[in-house]
Amino acid sequence: MSDTPSTDPETWEKSAPEDRETEGPLDESEANPVRPYVDLGGVKILPREGLHLRLEVEEETQRVVAVGLDYANSTLQVQPFAAPRSSGLWHEIREQIAEQVERQGGRTSEREGVFGPELVAEIPVAAPQGAPGETRVARFVGVDGPRWFLRGVIAGDAAIKPDAAALVEDLFRSIVVVRGSSPMPPRDLIPLRMPAAPSSGPDTFSTL
């Protein structure tokens, strides 16, 4: 896979681990149908001990816009988007994230991670007047799948500590994306929703 993608959006290659089809993140057609997934619409999450799920809701529209996963002293925010069948979105979106972080006064660096290219961002945190400025570290990861793109934002221990990173990376791998058959423009958020019935397993739910 080329590290220098074409500037033509129609020819951007997909960015994904070579073993994505077997190790994840999976498409619904690739997932084991008997596993006890929590169905959140555009994504399915596999419950595990110590995992806390949050649905992030847009205040004006009450639309679920992201899934937050608290795990291993870390947070993982995920969003699934519609994407072209033959080309990827991550190369372009990565550039846009870097520009946005820089506009906020932060900085980013790109590195090769377990999912392919990822961004490590140092983002300024608002501090009381006169207090020294602080930053928080976040990792932006992305995987191009069949007609979908899954973005993850990793913060907390998993952004800086290898042991926690491995746990949260495995969590990201376990996600199943449900694209559906309805036509959708590329970059549109695949609809997310509350689960039909909260699981009695180890996970818990809240909304923001």
Side-chain angles (χ1 to χ4, degrees), residues 147 179-184:
R147 299 174 62 238
R179 165 63 178 81
S181 57
S182 301
M184 291 181 67

Side-chain angles (χ1 to χ4, degrees), residues 58-102:
E58 193 173 56
E59 188 172 350
E60 289 184 3
T61 64
Q62 291 301 298
R63 181 178 69 134
V64 179
V65 294
V67 176
L69 305 170
D70 298 333
Y71 185 61
N73 292 318
S74 310
T75 61
L76 169 63
Q77 183 206 63
V78 295
Q79 291 177 297
F81 298 93
R85 188 181 300 275
S86 57
S87 58
L89 296 179
W90 183 222
H91 293 304
E92 180 188 14
I93 288 176
R94 211 164 60 245
E95 293 177 4
Q96 294 171 346
I97 292 170
E99 292 171 0
Q100 182 179 8
V101 170
E102 288 169 12

